[in-house]
Amino acid sequence: MDSTPIVAITGQVSTPVIGTDAFQETPIVETCRPVTKHHYLVTRTEDIARVVKEAFHIATTGRPGRC
């Protein structure tokens, strides 16, 4: 399963409390950084379509798996 492209969409606490150690907050970007080819923290709904399109492009092009 090495080098299998995966796009994961995860949840987070609401934007105003990101970075405040709020209840059930996980620093998902920092947690995933060592094992991902690329990652995003989307804070505006307007960015979702663009980020999903970019994520699938990155997952399916270039060197497979983590770079």
Side-chain angles (χ1 to χ4, degrees):
M1 292 192 296
D2 189 28
S3 299
T4 301
I6 297 172
V7 174
I9 300 172
T10 63
Q12 185 56 284
V13 295
S14 58
T15 303
V17 294
I18 291 176
T20 65
D21 288 330
F23 178 67
Q24 295 186 339
E25 178 184 15
T26 300
I28 198 68
V29 170
E30 296 306 318
T31 302
C32 294
R33 189 177 307 274
V35 294
T36 58
K37 188 174 183 179
H38 194 76
H39 46 268
Y40 295 90
L41 175 61
V42 180
T43 57
R44 298 175 345 132
T45 55
E46 301 85 30
D47 296 335
I48 294 171
R50 176 186 56 80
V51 167
V52 169
K53 182 177 179 180
E54 286 178 22
F56 277 92
H57 175 76
I58 290 168
T60 57
T61 60
R63 181 173 174 236
R66 188 174 181 275
C67 56

